[in-house]
Amino acid sequence: MYLDTDVSLSRAWRVQVLSASPYSVAEMDAILREEIHPVCFSNLLQPAGEWAGFDPSRLEQAIRRRGTRWRSRLLARLSLVLPGCFPTEEWTVTRREIASLRSHHGASQT
């Protein structure tokens, strides 16, 4: 959701993967805000940011390192309220579709 492209095109894939995860939607919210957002939000501020995707191993390394930099943590916290720095609309739709898919699968298994 932090790419410089139309991320709604990958929503169905994202919903499928996330709905199959063991995490609750609330836990995914926390992971997004506390782990992913601090590392990726700056891509949304770039005039020509990354659009093809992030390297998974580099992203993991950055997430693991991010906890040691107080300035980065502060900037990431502030960016949560700045317009255009958090994928609010896309995450809202994604969350809703995850919940819907999970409830549909739960109902069909009973």
Side-chain angles (χ1 to χ4, degrees):
M1 293 183 295
Y2 289 89
L3 298 176
D4 187 20
T5 187
D6 183 359
V7 295
S8 69
L9 299 174
S10 62
R11 185 183 308 135
W13 168 82
R14 186 172 46 255
V15 167
Q16 197 71 31
V17 169
L18 293 175
S19 66
S21 81
Y23 301 106
S24 69
V25 175
E27 290 170 317
M28 286 186 241
D29 267 334
I31 291 167
L32 178 63
R33 291 177 190 279
E34 301 296 323
E35 298 180 23
I36 298 166
H37 178 77
V39 173
C40 296
F41 83 92
S42 63
N43 196 61
L44 296 177
L45 304 175
Q46 302 294 322
E50 177 62 49
W51 58 272
F54 297 103
D55 177 272
S57 61
R58 289 179 70 192
L59 184 59
E60 181 181 354
Q61 289 172 0
I63 289 170
R64 290 181 187 277
R65 279 194 318 264
R66 66 128 181 90
T68 62
R69 299 183 196 141
W70 69 269
R71 275 190 252 180
S72 296
R73 288 193 322 259
L74 178 61
L75 184 57
R77 289 262 187 235
L78 291 172
S79 71
L80 287 170
V81 296
L82 296 174
C85 290
F86 187 78
T88 304
E89 291 176 28
E90 186 59 32
W91 180 235
T92 299
V93 175
T94 299
R95 288 177 94 239
R96 185 174 39 236
E97 290 187 18
I98 291 167
S100 175
L101 186 60
R102 283 181 168 178
S103 69
H104 176 72
H105 282 298
S108 65
Q109 293 176 358
T110 56

